[in-house]
């Protein structure tokens, strides 16, 4: 099957004054994949995401999202994408039901808050205020809000940062289920285990440039073929496995 690009980025540049945050970046995201942007702090991942989301102006280059140019058709792009807001974007004293009603009103769509909350296992928090949620629940709720307009692509910027191992695994399942319904997912993360498990392809960004783009498997196979060996023989389990084994796989915070 030929993979169709749903996002095309050509020669993208973003300067803040004299500082070049994104430096002549080219890449494509294919329809239906989970695509990861990886790289050190300050590499330019969030800046790139925000340009694709039409939330930040670029300096030069071309960006097409689902066939629409960010220059000419930002409005059409906004209708087709789901963007995870930072926590500050939610009114802390509204209930989850009220927040979903508010967002669906803004998008001009009619959704059932309970159906949206069911997608992220938060129906029993329907009457809770946003500020009363745990970190993992807040993340799940913010992912639910990205789905309100039934988007073609969702953008998730470090969705599992700060979560416990169960909550992280639960979010991986959620992200996979979003993809299994045909939605393309673009994600940034600093967790390489997460990228390896979740992403079909990843791009490594460093100092504003893409320095490698491939599937996690290919990257690892190439490194091994080059003669790389880990210094220490890795045990067949790690401390996270111990954590999960001792505390169980169930979410704690429902
Ligand atoms: P992190 O992993 O820490 O989230 P990132 O890869 O997402 O990093 P960006 O947030 O895109 O990195 O930032 C890229 C560079 O651009 C950084 O050096 C940052 O300081 C700079 N930068 C980001 N936003 C602005 C701004 N509004 N004005 C000036 N410089 C900025």
């Amino acid at each position: 099957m030929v993979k169709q690009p749903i996002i095309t980025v050509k020669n993208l540049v973003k300067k803040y004054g004299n500082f070049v945050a994104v430096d002549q970046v080219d890449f494509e995201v294919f329809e239906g994949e989970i695509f990861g942007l990886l790289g050190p702090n300050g590499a330019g991942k969030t800046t790139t995401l925000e340009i694709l989301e039409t939330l930040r102006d670029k300096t030069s280059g071309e960006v097409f999202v689902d066939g629409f140019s960010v220059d000419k058709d930002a409005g059409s792009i906004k209708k087709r994408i789901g963007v995870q807001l930072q926590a500050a974007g939610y009114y802390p004293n509204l209930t989850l039901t009220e927040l979903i009603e508010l967002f669906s009103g803004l998008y001009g769509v009619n959704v059932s808050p309970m159906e949206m909350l069911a997608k992220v296992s938060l129906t029993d928090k329907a009457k809770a205020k946003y500020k009363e949620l745990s970190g993992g629940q807040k993340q799940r709720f913010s992912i639910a809000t990205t789905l309100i307009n039934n988007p073609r692509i969702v953008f998730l910027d470090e969705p599992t940062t700060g979560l416990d191992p169960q909550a992280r695994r639960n979010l991986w399942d959620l992200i996979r289920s979003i993809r299994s319904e045909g939605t393309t997912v673009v994600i940034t993360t600093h967790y390489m285990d997460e990228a390896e498990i979740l992403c079909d392809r990843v791009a490594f960004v460093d100092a504003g440039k893409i320095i490698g783009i491939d599937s996690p498997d290919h990257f690892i196979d190439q490194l091994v073929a080059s003669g790389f060996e880990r210094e220490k023989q890795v045990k067949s389990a790690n401390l996270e496995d111990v954590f999960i084994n001792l505390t169980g796989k169930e979410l704690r915070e429902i």
Side-chain angles (χ1 to χ4, degrees):
M1 198 176 73
V2 182
K3 290 176 184 156
Q4 293 291 334
I6 193 163
I7 297 175
T8 304
V9 176
K10 290 183 193 163
N11 211 9
L12 178 64
V13 174
K14 175 66 183 181
K15 292 182 186 167
Y16 296 112
N18 289 330
F19 176 72
V20 184
V22 178
D23 192 2
Q24 298 184 310
V25 158
D26 291 282
F27 64 93
E28 286 179 328
V29 176
F30 299 128
E31 195 169 350
E33 74 176 344
I34 302 179
F35 183 85
L37 279 174
L38 314 179
N41 291 132
K45 303 178 298 293
T46 301
T47 300
T48 303
L49 272 197
E50 289 181 352
I51 293 169
L52 306 190
E53 294 162 354
T54 76
L55 300 179
R56 197 174 282 265
D57 288 334
K58 59 186 167 55
T59 302
S60 60
E62 285 183 284
V63 176
F64 295 92
V65 178
D66 202 14
F68 295 98
S69 151
V70 294
D71 297 314
K72 298 185 192 130
D73 270 316
S76 302
I77 293 174
K78 283 195 177 86
K79 282 186 199 146
R80 287 167 169 76
I81 64 171
V83 175
Q84 211 183 355
L85 288 183
Q86 300 303 315
Y90 303 109
Y91 294 99
N93 286 314
L94 292 185
T95 68
L96 303 193
T97 302
E98 289 164 342
L99 281 167
I100 290 188
E101 283 167 352
L102 176 70
F103 280 102
S104 49
L106 293 175
Y107 281 122
V109 294
N110 201 358
V111 297
S112 145
M114 282 315 245
E115 263 176 44
M116 298 311 300
L117 293 174
K119 286 181 198 262
V120 295
S121 314
L122 281 175
T123 45
D124 46 354
K125 292 284 176 188
K127 292 196 167 62
K129 292 176 178 166
Y130 178 77
K131 67 178 181 189
E132 294 162 355
L133 301 181
S134 74
Q137 290 166 344
K138 282 182 175 150
Q139 290 285 26
R140 297 214 300 281
F141 179 71
S142 75
I143 292 182
T145 65
T146 71
L147 302 174
I148 289 173
N149 59 335
N150 195 20
R152 301 258 297 136
I153 308 164
V154 295
F155 293 93
L156 307 175
D157 199 356
E158 298 187 31
T160 66
T161 296
L163 300 188
D164 73 39
Q166 282 99 350
R168 227 152 62 89
R169 279 167 174 67
N170 179 268
L171 266 189
W172 296 347
D173 288 342
L174 174 60
I175 292 166
R176 286 198 197 97
S177 76
I178 292 170
R179 190 267 293 277
S180 71
E181 301 208 349
T183 309
T184 305
V185 179
V186 181
I187 183 170
T188 71
T189 178
H190 287 296
Y191 301 115
M192 293 305 113
D193 60 336
E194 175 166 303
E196 189 179 334
I197 288 174
L198 213 51
C199 294
D200 299 296
R201 290 189 311 135
V202 295
F204 285 97
V205 187
D206 193 15
K209 288 186 184 293
I210 290 192
I211 54 172
I213 185 163
D214 210 331
S215 67
D217 252 5
H218 273 146
F219 270 123
I220 294 166
D221 289 348
Q222 272 173 5
L223 184 63
V224 172
S226 76
F228 177 89
E229 272 181 52
R230 280 193 182 163
E231 275 177 26
K232 189 174 127 194
Q233 185 56 42
V234 177
K235 297 178 185 172
S236 53
N238 63 21
L239 196 58
E240 181 152 321
D241 297 320
V242 175
F243 184 110
I244 296 282
N245 205 263
L246 286 174
T247 62
K249 287 204 170 67
E250 301 310 313
L251 275 177
R252 288 315 158 83
E253 25 136 72
I254 286 184

